[in-house]
Amino acid sequence: MRLSNLLATLAQQLGGLLNATFGNATEMIISIYALKNGMIRVVQQSLLGSILSNMLLVLGCAFFAGGLAHPDRDQVFNKASAVVNSGLLLMAVLGLMFPAVLHFTHSEAHYGKSEVSLSRFSSCIMLVAYASYLFFQLKSQRSLYSPIGEEEETTEDEEDEKEITQAEAISWLFVLTIWISILSGYLVDAIQGASESLNMPLAFISVILLPIVGNAAEHASAIMFAMKNKLDITLGVAIGSSTQISMFVIPFCVVIGWMMGEEMDLNFQLFETATLFITVLVVAFMLQEGTSNYFKGLMLILCYLIVAASFFVHVDPKSSDNK
């Protein structure tokens, strides 16, 4: 089954958003399941890992594959859309940074409570910002997000033979997402045991290994569209997914944890927050020209290897500061 049949029917922006939404549904269900079991750090690290994986590994592999498929020229995408997504990711970093700084500088007005209250307030603001972004993208400023070379791509899409209908594609996406989410519950239960048996840090499994498996579908579709020179869908899958996790899924988990009585907050610890901040800056610089090639993809992949190695030697502090 190819998602291109569905995405060719929908607008490219909506298609990338739908792909990212179904892909992130698994992360959201895993997070709720883990929150019910009080595994707050697993929630934080797995969501962080999904953002890092999408921004560096998925986007890097897509740029690399697309560059090799079109070696004679740079591929072009809508720079305006990329800039807006970069701004939202920086806003997410802002929301994660202040609770961490507040905690580690010991400058809370009410120790142990201020960072949670700030996180809940910031989460509500981030949800409003993401809802406004969706309205801005899909309704208010649709012309701003017109894909590059839209007429050529439309002609190519008309030549493609549709293997399944739009309704069938959505149904398969829904069924497979539910099934993967059920299996993910067993995966969460096995994380701690796998960490001990494999002698690997829990942070490495949560941030690196778990998101690679969870993002496999997004990884494949992003590469496929990049090789077809449909970079706007690729960015919708990779960067759009990262934006959705950082501006919707993470704040949503904070609000859900609030309802459950769990003190889920935006304090992801300094190491994780710094990693996200540097990653967002690197990707923002890569996207600012509105072009991609295989060398940019290679740099993103190598950056991800550095991040993976960093988490392999990183262990969460076993202190009272750690949640």
Side-chain angles (χ1 to χ4, degrees):
M1 181 188 67
R2 297 189 306 165
L3 291 181
S4 57
N5 299 317
L6 170 61
L7 300 183
T9 306
L10 302 174
Q12 289 203 18
Q13 302 94 340
L14 185 58
L17 176 64
L18 184 63
N19 197 320
T21 300
F22 275 98
N24 292 334
T26 300
E27 276 86 354
M28 186 178 298
I29 296 176
I30 289 177
S31 300
I32 295 176
Y33 180 86
L35 273 177
K36 289 176 61 178
N37 291 274
M39 304 170 69
I40 295 178
R41 284 299 288 160
V42 171
V43 173
Q44 292 177 330
Q45 291 175 337
S46 63
L47 293 178
L48 173 71
S50 293
I51 298 174
L52 298 177
S53 175
N54 279 308
M55 294 183 68
L56 295 178
L57 184 62
V58 175
L59 187 63
C61 289
F63 279 2
F64 186 76
L68 293 181
H70 304 275
D72 55 330
R73 58 188 172 86
D74 283 352
Q75 293 181 285
V76 181
F77 54 85
N78 192 321
K79 183 168 65 174
S81 175
V83 169
V84 172
N85 277 280
S86 298
L88 286 171
L89 288 168
L90 285 172
M91 180 180 178
V93 171
L94 186 75
L96 297 179
M97 181 177 294
F98 283 111
V101 172
L102 189 68
H103 177 82
F104 285 97
T105 56
H106 304 287
S107 56
E108 299 175 81
H110 303 283
Y111 184 77
K113 296 182 179 180
S114 295
E115 65 178 281
V116 177
S117 300
L118 176 61
S119 297
R120 291 169 177 172
F121 175 80
S122 299
S123 295
C124 295
I125 297 298
M126 292 162 71
L127 290 173
V128 171
Y130 186 71
S132 302
Y133 161 71
L134 292 180
F135 178 80
F136 177 81
Q137 181 187 29
L138 301 177
K139 293 292 184 181
S140 176
Q141 301 288 335
R142 295 183 63 179
S143 59
L144 181 66
Y145 291 86
S146 298
I148 302 297
E150 184 176 10
E151 295 180 358
E152 298 179 0
E153 292 171 357
T154 301
T155 303
E156 294 176 1
D157 291 339
E158 291 176 352
E159 297 176 355
D160 292 339
E161 181 181 356
K162 295 183 179 180
E163 297 178 359
I164 59 176
T165 65
Q166 175 181 338
E168 289 174 339
I170 294 178
S171 300
W172 274 109
L173 280 170
F174 180 77
V175 171
L176 292 177
T177 299
I178 295 297
W179 177 244
I180 292 174
S181 301
I182 294 174
L183 297 179
S184 300
Y186 296 99
L187 184 63
V188 170
D189 293 334
I191 288 179
Q192 186 63 46
S195 175
E196 297 174 356
S197 62
L198 297 176
N199 196 25
M200 287 185 180
L202 183 61
F204 179 78
I205 294 178
S206 301
V207 177
I208 303 300
L209 297 184
L210 190 59
I212 288 178
V213 176
N215 293 333
E218 294 172 334
H219 201 153
S221 60
I223 292 176
M224 178 184 68
F225 289 121
M227 295 180 69
K228 290 185 176 182
N229 201 28
K230 298 181 179 181
L231 265 295
D232 290 292
I233 300 183
T234 295
L235 289 179
V237 173
I239 301 300
S241 178
S242 299
T243 302
Q244 189 177 78
I245 293 174
S246 60
M247 293 296 294
F248 175 72
V249 179
I250 291 178
F252 179 78
C253 287
V254 172
V255 174
I256 291 296
W258 186 5
M259 296 178 180
M260 291 180 178
E262 297 285 346
E263 293 190 349
M264 167 78 181
D265 58 28
L266 298 178
N267 177 14
F268 278 43
Q269 308 296 320
L270 288 180
F271 185 85
E272 287 84 348
T273 305
T275 302
L276 178 62
F277 177 58
I278 296 173
T279 297
V280 171
L281 288 182
V282 170
V283 173
F285 277 114
M286 294 289 184
L287 299 178
Q288 65 179 350
E289 295 180 348
T291 61
S292 72
N293 50 58
Y294 73 90
F295 182 66
K296 285 185 177 182
L298 179 61
M299 285 192 290
L300 291 175
I301 295 172
L302 295 178
C303 287
Y304 186 75
L305 293 179
I306 294 176
V307 170
S310 300
F311 277 97
F312 188 78
V313 298
H314 170 70
V315 179
D316 275 338
K318 304 295 182 179
S319 64
S320 58
D321 288 342
N322 190 32
K323 288 181 282 294

